[in-house]
Amino acid sequence: HKGLHGKNYFDVIGNKDQLVHFPYMSFDYVQIFIDQSSIDDKVEEIKISLYRVADESALTDSLLTALKNGKKVTVFVEAKARFDEENNIKWGRIFEEHGAKVIYSYPRVKVHSKVLLILRREKGKAKRYAYIGTGNFNAKTSKIYCDHGLFTANKKITKDLTRVFKVLEGELIIPRASH
């Protein structure tokens, strides 16, 4: 694969936003970013929304690795995902057992956008990186459905995404997102 492979994604995304298009591009780009985040010493926190959690996947392994490496992990799990309720709840419990903060979806609230927010300490300051996508964090379905994803470190977008996660965590009622 050309593009982001073999590079430090934080450098690449920090320099310029990146777009991915599935199934024309590989889900590996998303997976590698989460892998790098799980082992990067500067990453302090990972927040992610999961709609259809794969039964066993590199993504779930990476999130568990992040927890083992002392990172704060918050997972928003869609409890009412069609056909995947049991599996999602099972994974929610596994993440909780390993120290993640797990939030289950609320009645009448569905998160269809797949979002990932990473907080990384750089030069003594917190810097946010994000992935916002239309498809699930699922390598198998990314080969079937047409979806788009944005990797960004844009301050306005990542600030808005921080507000979205605050809503999901019950810390904020209205995100007032403008970007």
Side-chain angles (χ1 to χ4, degrees):
H1 301 287
K2 292 181 182 177
L4 298 174
H5 279 273
K7 296 184 179 180
N8 179 319
Y9 280 31
F10 295 105
D11 292 342
V12 174
I13 296 163
N15 186 43
K16 184 179 171 186
D17 288 357
Q18 304 290 320
L19 282 173
V20 288
H21 308 282
F22 309 119
Y24 310 103
M25 295 172 78
S26 173
F27 185 76
D28 290 352
Y29 295 112
V30 177
Q31 182 58 55
I32 290 168
F33 186 46
I34 296 170
D35 287 345
Q36 287 184 3
S37 300
S38 72
I39 59 172
D40 186 294
D41 291 339
K42 294 178 183 175
V43 169
E44 297 177 346
E45 191 169 353
I46 298 171
K47 295 184 180 197
I48 189 167
S49 70
L50 297 176
Y51 185 75
R52 298 185 84 173
V53 186
D55 202 20
E56 289 285 331
S57 72
L59 185 139
T60 53
D61 290 347
S62 293
L63 292 174
L64 293 173
T65 297
L67 288 161
K68 285 179 197 158
N69 288 332
K71 294 170 190 339
K72 187 177 174 187
V73 176
T74 302
V75 182
F76 180 83
V77 176
E78 181 57 62
K80 292 286 182 188
R82 215 165 19 138
F83 313 120
D84 287 315
E85 293 91 348
E86 269 184 63
N87 198 47
N88 285 4
I89 291 167
K90 176 191 93 171
W91 273 105
R93 288 193 182 120
I94 291 168
F95 290 134
E96 282 176 318
E97 287 166 10
H98 286 84
K101 177 181 180 182
V102 178
I103 303 146
Y104 294 95
S105 58
Y106 315 105
R108 297 187 306 276
V109 174
K110 263 202 191 295
V111 178
H112 280 287
S113 182
K114 307 316 175 276
V115 290
L116 168 68
L117 183 66
I118 294 166
L119 189 73
R120 189 172 191 250
R121 183 98 12 220
E122 296 178 7
K123 298 176 187 165
K125 292 183 179 180
K127 183 168 180 177
R128 295 181 288 241
Y129 292 84
Y131 171 82
I132 301 169
T134 60
N136 294 315
F137 285 110
N138 189 310
K140 289 179 186 168
T141 60
S142 75
K143 293 175 184 170
I144 301 165
Y145 300 113
C146 181
D147 284 299
H148 312 284
L150 170 70
F151 291 98
T152 186
N154 178 294
K155 288 180 182 181
K156 292 176 181 177
I157 294 171
T158 59
K159 186 176 181 181
D160 279 359
L161 190 55
T162 298
R163 289 184 181 130
V164 169
F165 273 105
K166 283 186 177 193
V167 170
L168 297 177
E169 293 174 67
E171 295 175 22
L172 199 62
I173 295 170
I174 300 168
R176 285 182 172 64
S178 55
H179 296 91

